[in-house]
Amino acid sequence: MVSLKDVRKIYQMGSEQVHALDGVSIEFAQGSFWAIMGPSGSGKSTMLNLLGCLDRPTSGTYTLAGEDVSQLEDDDLSAIRLKYLGFVFQSFNLISQLTVRENIELPLFYQGWEPHECAARAIEMAERVELGDRLGHRPAELSGGQQQRVAIARALANDPRVILADEPTGNLDSTTGDHIMKLLGELHQQGKTILIVTHEEEIAAWAEHRLHMRDGLIDRID
Amino acid sequence: MTNISKFTRLVRLGIKTLLLHKLRSLLTMLGVVFGVGSVIAMLAVGTGASEEAQSQIRRLGSQNIILHSVQSQQDQTTDRVRMSIYGLTYDDEQRIRETIPTVRRIVPAKLIPHEARVGGRTMELRIVGTTPDWFDLVERELIAGRRLHQRDLATRANVCVLTERSARRLLATETILGNRIRVGSNYYEVVGIIRSETGGTAGGVQTPDQEVDAYIPLTTARERFGDIVMRRSEGSFERSMVELHQLVVEVDELENVESTAEAIEQLLRRFHPREDYRVSVPLALLRQAEATQRTFNIVLGSIAGISLLVGGIGIMNIMLASVTERTREIGIRRAIGAKRSQIIGQFLIETIVLSSAGGLLGIAVGVIIPQIIEYFAGMPTIVPMYAIVLSLGISVGVGVLFGIYPAIRAARLDPIVALRHE
Ligand SMILES: Nc1ncnc2c1ncn2[C@@H]1O[C@H](COP(=O)(O)OP(=O)(O)OP(=O)(O)O)[C@@H](O)[C@H]1O
Ligand SMILES: [Mg+2]
């Protein structure tokens, strides 16, 4: 279970304060599939970054896997990301010098897996996203959809509980986007908690729940 | 996974990353390559030169003090027939032997340049009238026969010991020992051959022995040649009266060498109004050579330090650029779960790989250059082991020193900001 309680994120911009999140409380049940929506600047990415333990809230508590992670040290946050979380980004964020297989292996490398175990798992994940024949390719040799599938394979490699995706289809055409959403849907079927940020209604339609943000607050849930 | 295999993986990753930009990595390394290379090369040349100087000085005997007779400027008359009286005397020898307790042995020598002949062959020799102790103080290997004996001295025997080279020249293929060489109107039986060294000068001091030496008992030399040496030069006779040309003093303990030299000088000053002698202390020369070497090393060390500093700054510059260039990659790794320390490790290992590779190449350069110098300039060079170990250590150190800041910069990046970086 993932839950936020009265979470605020305040950015100090010179003399002005920006309340990117202005007291958000919500629970995402284990295995649920959420789309986070809202106008630009409403705090969607800020919330996803907090949920992804890439940042700490200014105040409030964030509970992940039964632990309050809102004020952990940097190293502990890294450990939590490595263990519980998988990220999919709008711009894929693969490391361009590494091959598909090496990109997928990254979380396993940081978990200290043996090289042959890493390789076996990476191949399994690549096949899972139907890219078993592209293991030796570099990201630049793949289409956008293929790159995003590699990113999903990488996010899955360490078997996380929660997958966080900030506009995963933002750089893809609608057919490819649907393919990606179908893949995320399957992961949801397998029990992963999935949180995606999106602007598009068609994408949001794949999710079980839709959370609408406005000015750093939850506007409504449907 | 064990720490070692983790480390080798990181090293392999570092090498792989550096190979992505081969030219850039190579250029970055050059600073360290030339720094390390020049240090080793200079040390090799310096050590070679100083080893040679020191071994020459050591041949003089570090426990010895060498006294030479020298003709002072004042007593050179302008007569057609010149006669100068100068130098060390038999009395000097006796006084030194009897009054300075730290003197263990003293070897007098009369030096008479003279032509020697065997059959039709002639050779200009340096007849050295001396005592058997000579062969202990001026250590040269005995190749055949025997050295001079005390008995030869007592009987004023007509025997001589030749150096290998003189023996070859004079006696050619004839049986050497037992043969007789003629010097003036007298014959000397060859009783021994000693190994000839290069002789010459060592640290500015004439070595007591030369390649063209023929050693005969001092008593025999006194009887045959007297104390007056005549030499024809520039159409005029030059006559000089010198009792002893050389005294080699052996001191009992190494630490007494300097004080003994001092005592000898005081003693000689009392009996010689003109300074017609010279005192050489090989140990002092040795110390001087060592001091010179130390200074040389300090200068080299500074040059090395500066060039490695420049090399290090070059590496740091590139690594800082690399951190900026790879901001996105750092963000990705951090988002996935890499700890700051792991990012530091990754970048630090890259710089260390870079600088150590530079160090290894530099060692290769530093070992090859002295070979070339030795081949073309004929200078002896020695690549000291410590220089290689030191350079390798220093190049790793340079990697750590100049890599740590860029690595920390990389690790400090906020993952969110880094991920947004274009
Ligand atoms: N690092 C930052 N420093 C200052 N202000 C920030 C920072 N990050 C976000 N903000 C501000 O916080 C607010 C919420 O930003 P956020 O990125 O969460 O919006 P968003 O909902 O993701 O918008 P979009 O749909 O355009 O991506 C915005 O007003 C933004 O300017
Ligand atoms: Mg956003």
Side-chain angles (χ1 to χ4, degrees), chain A residues 99-219:
Chain A
T99 61
V100 165
R101 184 171 67 87
E102 288 164 335
N103 266 289
I104 299 173
E105 281 178 5
L106 273 179
L108 308 172
F109 170 77
Y110 285 115
Q111 281 190 341
W113 287 34
E114 294 291 346
H116 65 273
E117 294 173 349
C118 286
R121 175 80 175 166
I123 292 166
E124 186 192 330
M125 290 299 110
E127 280 165 357
R128 173 81 189 70
V129 298
E130 293 161 35
L131 285 171
D133 54 343
R134 300 299 179 112
L135 287 166
H137 287 66
R138 311 236 170 228
E141 297 158 9
L142 302 177
S143 72
Q146 287 170 328
Q147 288 189 52
Q148 197 59 303
R149 279 188 278 153
V150 174
I152 290 173
R154 182 179 67 190
L156 285 177
N158 59 338
D159 195 21
R161 293 193 189 184
V162 183
I163 290 185
L164 303 145
D166 197 343
E167 306 195 32
T169 58
N171 284 2
L172 302 172
D173 61 51
S174 59
T175 328
T176 320
D178 280 350
H179 191 167
I180 295 296
M181 289 316 294
K182 195 162 153 271
L183 203 52
L184 290 174
E186 282 168 28
L187 297 177
H188 167 236
Q189 299 292 313
Q190 288 158 21
K192 306 262 182 233
T193 307
I194 297 182
L195 309 176
I196 69 165
V197 167
T198 182
H199 281 114
E200 297 164 69
E201 287 295 344
E202 308 88 82
I203 297 297
W206 286 86
E208 290 177 312
H209 314 280
R210 273 152 295 277
L211 185 155
H212 294 270
M213 302 281 299
R214 185 176 295 278
D215 297 331
L217 287 166
I218 296 173
D219 188 33

Side-chain angles (χ1 to χ4, degrees), chain B residues 56-309:
Chain B
Q56 277 179 346
I57 294 168
R58 257 186 230 107
R59 273 205 298 127
L60 295 169
S62 46
Q63 228 155 300
N64 291 351
I65 296 169
I66 301 164
L67 312 180
H68 293 275
S69 293
V70 290
Q71 191 167 9
S72 55
Q73 292 298 318
Q74 303 149 335
D75 62 18
Q76 290 194 348
T77 56
T78 49
D79 300 343
R80 249 188 71 75
V81 177
R82 289 185 268 186
M83 170 73 155
S84 43
I85 304 168
Y86 65 91
L88 302 161
T89 63
Y90 299 107
D91 286 344
D92 290 334
E93 183 207 341
Q94 199 181 350
R95 282 190 210 105
I96 291 171
R97 187 199 306 282
E98 287 170 1
T99 61
I100 302 177
T102 51
V103 170
R104 184 188 288 161
R105 276 186 288 196
I106 179 162
V107 177
K110 278 180 89 63
L111 308 175
I112 306 115
H114 209 294
E115 195 183 64
R117 51 173 71 236
V118 175
R121 282 184 289 274
T122 65
M123 183 181 175
E124 196 64 35
L125 286 183
R126 189 178 79 153
I127 310 293
V128 180
T130 189
T131 61
D133 282 343
W134 170 279
F135 301 94
D136 289 328
L137 265 57
V138 184
E139 283 176 52
R140 295 291 175 267
E141 192 192 342
L142 186 72
I143 298 173
R146 63 172 178 85
R147 319 189 311 190
L148 295 179
H149 283 165
Q150 208 59 46
R151 195 181 57 244
D152 302 325
L153 216 57
T155 60
R156 298 180 192 182
N158 286 328
V159 292
C160 73
V161 173
L162 289 183
T163 63
E164 196 183 1
R165 180 160 171 262
S166 311
R168 286 245 164 79
R169 285 276 296 274
L170 274 175
L171 303 163
T173 54
E174 295 173 39
T175 30
I176 293 166
L177 294 180
N179 237 303
R180 297 197 302 169
I181 62 170
R182 197 180 124 188
V183 179
S185 51
N186 298 294
Y187 289 89
Y188 297 85
E189 186 190 338
V190 178
V191 294
I193 313 284
I194 60 166
R195 164 110 43 228
S196 48
E197 296 275 338
T198 41
T201 55
V205 178
Q206 177 71 50
T207 52
D209 60 333
Q210 286 183 7
E211 277 190 322
V212 292
D213 280 351
Y215 302 100
I216 65 172
L218 180 63
T219 48
T220 314
R222 268 184 94 173
E223 191 179 84
R224 299 272 181 261
F225 301 98
D227 293 330
I228 297 175
V229 176
M230 245 188 298
R231 197 183 290 155
R232 225 186 304 246
S233 66
E234 292 159 16
S236 68
F237 278 115
E238 188 188 293
R239 288 198 299 167
S240 52
M241 192 179 134
V242 179
E243 290 187 8
L244 290 172
H245 295 84
Q246 212 172 260
L247 282 171
V248 181
V249 177
E250 187 191 31
V251 180
D252 57 355
E253 299 288 344
L254 205 61
E255 60 260 37
N256 291 335
V257 169
E258 264 127 349
S259 62
T260 308
E262 188 60 35
I264 290 172
E265 272 193 89
Q266 266 178 22
L267 185 94
L268 291 177
R269 221 173 287 137
R270 248 191 301 151
F271 295 94
H272 293 253
R274 296 166 308 164
E275 205 175 294
D276 53 0
Y277 57 86
R278 192 175 61 237
V279 180
S280 310
V281 187
L283 183 68
L285 291 169
L286 194 64
R287 297 249 160 93
Q288 218 173 352
E290 283 165 358
T292 311
Q293 173 70 15
R294 266 198 299 281
T295 318
F296 191 66
N297 282 349
I298 289 170
V299 173
L300 277 187
S302 317
I303 294 172
I306 291 168
S307 52
L308 285 169
L309 186 76

Side-chain angles (χ1 to χ4, degrees), chain A residues 49 54-55 74-75 78 81-82 87 89 91 93 95 97 102 106-107 109-110 112-114 118 154, chain B residues 1 9-10 16 20 326 328-329 332-340 342-343 346 414-416 419:
Chain A
N49 287 340
L54 288 167
D55 207 352
D74 195 86
D75 273 4
S78 293
R81 291 198 294 271
L82 191 56
F87 290 93
F89 303 93
S91 49
N93 276 339
I95 297 180
Q97 299 94 325
E102 288 164 335
L106 273 179
F109 170 77
Y110 285 115
W113 287 34
E114 294 291 346
C118 286
R154 182 179 67 190
Chain B
M1 196 157 56
R9 250 175 113 182
L10 277 174
K16 219 173 123 185
L20 289 172
R326 288 156 68 191
R328 190 72 169 258
E329 175 193 332
I332 295 168
R333 287 178 184 273
R334 293 277 284 130
I336 284 169
K339 293 195 167 83
R340 283 197 168 137
Q342 289 172 314
I343 300 293
Q346 186 192 341
D414 178 350
I416 298 173
L419 279 170

